[in-house]
Amino acid sequence: MTGTTGLEVAGLLSSKARRAGSGTFGAPRSAEGRISLLGGFPDPLSLPREEILESVRLALERDGVWALEYGATRGYEFLVEQLLVKLRRDQGITARPEQVLVTTGASQALGLLVDALCDPGDVVLSEQPTWMGAVRIFRAAGVEVRPVPVGAEGIELDALAETLEALTAEGRRPKFLYLIPTFQNPTGVTMPLAARRRLLDLAYEHQLLVIEDDAYFDLRYQGERVPPLRALDAREHVAYLGTFSKIMAAGMRLGWIVAEPSLIAAVAGVKPEGGTSPFAGAVAAQFCASGALLEHVAELREIYRERRDATLRALSETMPEGAAWTRPEGGFFVWLTLPPGVSAARVAERARERGVDVMPGSACFFHSSGDDTIRLCYSFVTTEQISEGIARLAGVIREEAAD
Amino acid sequence: MTGTTGLEVAGLLSSKARRAGSGTFGAPRSAEGRISLLGGFPDPLSLPREEILESVRLALERDGVWALEYGATRGYEFLVEQLLVKLRRDQGITARPEQVLVTTGASQALGLLVDALCDPGDVVLSEQPTWMGAVRIFRAAGVEVRPVPVGAEGIELDALAETLEALTAEGRRPKFLYLIPTFQNPTGVTMPLAARRRLLDLAYEHQLLVIEDDAYFDLRYQGERVPPLRALDAREHVAYLGTFSKIMAAGMRLGWIVAEPSLIAAVAGVKPEGGTSPFAGAVAAQFCASGALLEHVAELREIYRERRDATLRALSETMPEGAAWTRPEGGFFVWLTLPPGVSAARVAERARERGVDVMPGSACFFHSSGDDTIRLCYSFVTTEQISEGIARLAGVIREEAAD
């Protein structure tokens, strides 16, 4: 650097960059040596390294040129094929290749959909609380979010119906409804079948596009599977998002959208990099085709079931009167509501001082609220760490409640 | 599908999606069995499969957890380290980690920069002709492009100075200037050192951000290296884009931005997926660290030098009077100007019927022009295919010129 003047960047930024602020997507490395109930990071010890190496070997041997060249925008062909098999087998979703787009995780999938659908000022509907990444994506896009509360059976349909009626009365059409109907992030709740059918009826009635984020579907630890909205939707009103992040490896950064072909084409049009990594795609395709995915998911269900059980056990053993929490049948998260008057921001700060990281629930709300809630993620920690971490957290909450 | 009504998607699309149109990024597979002088696809036969497999093995052995988890938005840590080494050694660019962001290829890098810098209606400057991907990205963003012509020494600096003066007189400040100063896509020309210094002086004088796309720098076949603008820039006015696509494997989809830290932070803020594939990043980092990258680049220089030579030889042997072409010292492209009155669109169409694919130059222009030009890419074809392909192309041009 010389002493001369640099460029003043702030004055050059777009409205979107000013709304978005600086990037903050955390790395799990920072959790080493701590008890992290914070980020939705998959279990580090069960990552299928051997199977991934074998999948790379197969991918390079069988299709070593096309796995290493630019690929079609839709995604690596054999991966699309394998996804169609997986979606039919596991999700009960039947799709054709032109309904699929491979993306850099489900997070980019949502970012691209918002880019393809929304101008600043547009109205969108979303569950609340919801995935904090969605909160950030919607903020960056400058859309007006009408939040709909999440109850014990997922999004509250009466509230949704009222919101839709109110928008109709205002003459405004929402671009979409975003929701996570299965093992919701952050609450862990799942919509029952009847609620899903009623939601689709509302969508059909209002010509509403539904973005169904289904990152956790395969990780069910008890109870019966409830079909994804997309599996129940005969009228192409649902854009379905999935990901390999929780069931193979987040580091592959591979997700997908299943949607109406013209919407897929529009999303592809705003994706500047063309096809998502053919290399990672070829590896994931072999991972599916060899049966490694199914085996790995079965193993993960055992691991995460124990952790969920340890979480619920620790909560009932240690939490003070007035605290309440959800009892998810799958996924990564338990949603904790604090005793009246206790601030989650303060609890999180004091827990951090004691080596325990948790996420204040307010990050999952669109306007400042939710300070009586905390998201607990049990995926990244051992059962021992869970017991210890929740005991420490409960200690902090008791102290705060006593103040 | 039932007979019921689907969702009308067209009415839901954003302004950006409507400007962008459907995705069209082609896959090289479609070139099999043809002579493709079309896309900038790397040579398929020299792809370093063994070295990549070995890099995967090393990456999983040495850092198998963090290569497979979500990573920092900046990019996989060891890759950032290796990039800093590579940039200093090969490009003469000194950078710190906070000046680097790993992206899904240089194409996403440009897309994100535009997202972070531009609102619709903003003015940007660009070389013309330029990379057709940039034409599409700028169109999708809805920016007003002021094109500056490319001559034998790259962007024409007098024209650039005039454009800058004109904008100042209009009271408008351009968000950036986009250019490819080395082995330009599509013309193959390289800016000499003196021109680079004058360009930087103009940038300093006008507080102009320069986006330098440098995908081909390492692929020089003759002549002396000219430092990238970023290596000459002591005042952080240059955002530098690079990629592994041409020197390792396009299928990794790994590129990078080197820029002022606050610009990097802003770009990270509009990148919804967080960090680009830690898995691919870990593999690329090992590929760099082991010395495989340097060896592979040396091999590629030999391969592409022969192809460039074959291209120039075939052109001088077969092209009719009135055709002209550039003589690049590196990169993938020769730019062909047709004899007066011959249409590139028509030539491309008739060549296609004879099994030869070329890109009409008009795709590299912002407004309909350039129909007397064709981009020839020699990276994906053997020297035999080059001779045969250019002979057939010359035949078509002769026939068209005679009409």
Side-chain angles (χ1 to χ4, degrees):
Chain A
M1 292 293 291
T2 70
T4 49
T5 325
L7 188 72
E8 183 54 62
V9 168
L12 287 175
L13 297 181
S14 66
S15 318
K16 182 172 180 179
R18 278 180 271 122
R19 288 186 300 257
S22 296
T24 55
F25 203 87
R29 243 180 242 261
S30 60
E32 283 184 296
R34 304 181 56 78
I35 297 178
S36 177
L37 303 166
L38 189 66
F41 301 122
D43 174 50
L45 296 181
S46 61
L47 287 163
R49 283 190 270 187
E50 287 304 315
E51 293 79 1
I52 287 174
L53 183 58
E54 176 62 12
S55 301
V56 173
R57 206 186 54 71
L58 287 173
L60 291 176
E61 187 182 290
R62 295 188 182 170
D63 198 22
V65 166
W66 304 119
L68 297 175
E69 287 278 1
Y70 293 103
T73 302
R74 183 172 312 291
Y76 184 73
E77 288 85 344
F78 187 42
L79 176 60
V80 172
E81 253 175 61
Q82 287 298 312
L83 274 178
L84 296 183
V85 171
K86 186 240 178 301
L87 288 166
R88 194 167 52 237
R89 180 191 62 209
D90 302 336
Q91 273 73 31
I93 291 172
T94 306
R96 305 185 305 279
E98 63 270 30
Q99 292 169 310
V100 176
L101 184 77
V102 177
T103 58
T104 305
S107 46
Q108 191 199 31
L110 182 59
L112 291 171
L113 274 165
V114 169
D115 223 21
L117 291 165
C118 298
D119 286 306
D122 280 349
V123 176
V124 308
L125 305 176
S126 173
E127 288 183 319
Q128 178 173 269
T130 189
W131 173 50
M132 61 179 186
V135 175
R136 282 204 301 261
I137 288 169
F138 298 155
R139 185 196 308 135
V143 294
E144 181 187 334
V145 181
R146 300 276 174 110
V148 182
V150 174
E153 300 204 329
I155 189 168
E156 291 185 359
L157 292 172
D158 289 342
L160 174 63
E162 275 169 36
T163 305
L164 286 167
E165 294 302 335
L167 284 169
T168 303
E170 291 171 42
R172 301 187 73 181
R173 183 182 179 192
K175 286 303 183 95
F176 58 77
L177 162 66
Y178 171 73
L179 84 171
I180 308 170
T182 302
F183 316 136
Q184 202 241 5
N185 182 355
T187 64
V189 304
T190 293
M191 286 180 83
L193 183 60
R196 292 178 189 229
R197 292 202 191 279
R198 192 177 153 214
L199 175 71
L200 285 176
D201 285 341
L202 279 171
Y204 298 152
E205 184 187 335
H206 290 270
Q207 280 285 299
L208 176 67
L209 174 65
V210 176
I211 299 180
E212 176 180 31
D213 187 342
D214 206 21
Y216 302 95
F217 180 89
D218 291 314
L219 299 173
R220 175 177 279 280
Y221 319 130
Q222 73 178 74
E224 277 203 19
R225 288 195 170 187
V226 189
L229 293 165
R230 174 81 198 182
L232 302 168
D233 168 31
R235 291 168 66 176
E236 294 267 37
H237 279 54
V238 177
Y240 181 84
L241 313 186
T243 176
F244 281 116
S245 291
K246 317 295 178 180
I247 55 176
M248 179 186 175
M252 306 302 289
R253 306 306 296 116
L254 286 173
W256 55 87
I257 310 176
V258 180
E260 202 272 325
S262 68
L263 181 54
I264 291 291
V267 172
V270 298
K271 189 170 186 288
E273 74 270 24
T276 292
S277 177
F279 176 65
V283 174
Q286 294 294 343
F287 190 78
C288 293
S290 69
L293 177 69
L294 277 182
E295 273 179 45
H296 186 58
V297 166
E299 186 193 353
L300 288 178
R301 279 196 205 107
E302 295 308 311
I303 292 169
Y304 292 136
R305 177 189 289 116
E306 278 188 19
R307 293 183 183 179
R308 181 207 55 169
D309 292 348
T311 305
L312 295 178
R313 200 178 320 118
L315 286 166
S316 33
E317 286 170 5
T318 63
M319 279 295 147
E321 188 86 14
W325 54 91
T326 56
R327 284 159 185 83
E329 298 192 324
F332 280 11
F333 309 108
V334 169
W335 186 244
L336 176 65
T337 305
L338 300 176
V342 178
S343 154
R346 201 165 143 69
V347 166
E349 191 192 321
R350 294 198 46 204
R352 189 161 45 243
E353 292 162 11
R354 299 187 196 179
V356 181
D357 296 320
V358 298
M359 195 174 81
S362 55
C364 306
F365 287 77
F366 291 99
H367 312 100
S368 28
S369 54
D371 192 39
D372 57 342
T373 55
I374 281 178
R375 189 188 76 173
L376 300 174
C377 177
Y378 48 76
S379 60
F380 193 67
V381 273
T382 63
T383 52
E384 292 72 29
Q385 288 177 310
I386 289 169
S387 309
E388 177 60 29
I390 288 181
R392 288 189 212 166
L393 181 68
V396 169
I397 294 171
R398 278 176 197 284
E399 290 165 23
E400 288 292 312
D403 272 0
Chain B
M1 293 294 291
T2 70
T4 50
T5 326
L7 189 72
E8 183 54 63
V9 169
L12 287 174
L13 297 181
S14 66
S15 318
K16 182 171 179 179
R18 278 181 272 121
R19 288 186 300 256
S22 297
T24 53
F25 202 87
R29 242 179 242 263
S30 60
E32 282 184 294
R34 304 182 56 79
I35 297 178
S36 177
L37 304 165
L38 189 65
F41 302 122
D43 174 51
L45 296 181
S46 61
L47 286 164
R49 283 191 269 189
E50 288 304 315
E51 294 79 1
I52 287 174
L53 183 58
E54 176 62 12
S55 301
V56 174
R57 206 186 54 70
L58 288 173
L60 291 176
E61 187 182 290
R62 296 188 181 170
D63 198 23
V65 167
W66 304 120
L68 297 176
E69 286 278 2
Y70 293 103
T73 303
R74 185 173 309 293
Y76 183 73
E77 288 84 345
F78 188 42
L79 177 60
V80 172
E81 253 176 59
Q82 287 298 312
L83 273 178
L84 296 183
V85 172
K86 185 237 178 301
L87 287 167
R88 194 168 52 238
R89 179 191 62 210
D90 302 336
Q91 272 73 30
I93 291 173
T94 306
R96 305 183 305 279
E98 64 269 28
Q99 292 169 310
V100 175
L101 183 77
V102 177
T103 58
T104 306
S107 46
Q108 190 200 32
L110 183 59
L112 291 171
L113 274 165
V114 170
D115 224 22
L117 291 164
C118 298
D119 287 305
D122 279 349
V123 176
V124 307
L125 305 175
S126 173
E127 290 182 318
Q128 178 173 269
T130 189
W131 174 49
M132 60 179 185
V135 174
R136 281 205 301 262
I137 287 168
F138 298 155
R139 186 197 307 135
V143 294
E144 180 186 334
V145 181
R146 300 278 174 108
V148 182
V150 175
E153 302 203 328
I155 190 168
E156 291 185 0
L157 292 171
D158 290 341
L160 174 63
E162 273 169 38
T163 305
L164 286 166
E165 295 302 335
L167 284 169
T168 303
E170 292 172 43
R172 300 188 72 181
R173 183 181 178 192
K175 286 304 181 98
F176 59 77
L177 162 66
Y178 172 74
L179 83 171
I180 307 169
T182 303
F183 316 136
Q184 203 241 4
N185 182 355
T187 64
V189 304
T190 294
M191 285 181 81
L193 183 59
R196 292 178 190 230
R197 293 200 191 278
R198 191 177 154 213
L199 175 72
L200 285 176
D201 286 341
L202 278 171
Y204 298 151
E205 183 188 337
H206 291 270
Q207 280 286 298
L208 176 67
L209 173 66
V210 176
I211 299 180
E212 176 180 33
D213 187 342
D214 206 22
Y216 303 95
F217 181 89
D218 292 312
L219 300 173
R220 174 176 281 281
Y221 319 130
Q222 74 178 73
E224 278 203 18
R225 287 194 170 188
V226 189
L229 293 167
R230 174 80 199 181
L232 302 169
D233 167 32
R235 290 169 65 176
E236 295 264 39
H237 279 55
V238 177
Y240 181 83
L241 313 186
T243 177
F244 281 116
S245 292
K246 317 296 178 181
I247 56 177
M248 179 187 175
M252 306 303 289
R253 304 308 293 118
L254 286 174
W256 55 86
I257 310 177
V258 180
E260 203 272 325
S262 68
L263 182 54
I264 291 292
V267 172
V270 299
K271 189 169 187 288
E273 74 270 24
T276 292
S277 177
F279 176 65
V283 174
Q286 294 294 343
F287 191 80
C288 292
S290 69
L293 177 70
L294 276 181
E295 273 179 45
H296 186 58
V297 166
E299 186 192 356
L300 288 178
R301 280 195 205 107
E302 294 309 310
I303 293 169
Y304 293 135
R305 176 190 289 116
E306 278 188 20
R307 292 183 184 179
R308 181 207 54 168
D309 292 348
T311 304
L312 295 177
R313 199 179 320 118
L315 286 166
S316 37
E317 285 171 7
T318 63
M319 280 294 147
E321 187 87 14
W325 54 91
T326 56
R327 283 158 186 82
E329 299 192 323
F332 279 11
F333 309 107
V334 168
W335 186 244
L336 176 64
T337 304
L338 300 175
V342 178
S343 154
R346 203 167 140 68
V347 166
E349 191 192 321
R350 294 197 48 204
R352 189 160 45 241
E353 293 162 9
R354 298 187 196 180
V356 180
D357 296 320
V358 298
M359 195 173 80
S362 55
C364 306
F365 287 77
F366 292 98
H367 313 101
S368 27
S369 54
D371 192 39
D372 57 340
T373 55
I374 280 178
R375 188 187 78 172
L376 301 174
C377 177
Y378 47 77
S379 60
F380 193 68
V381 274
T382 62
T383 52
E384 293 72 27
Q385 288 177 310
I386 289 168
S387 309
E388 177 60 29
I390 288 181
R392 288 190 213 166
L393 181 69
V396 170
I397 294 170
R398 278 176 198 284
E399 290 166 23
E400 287 293 312
D403 271 359

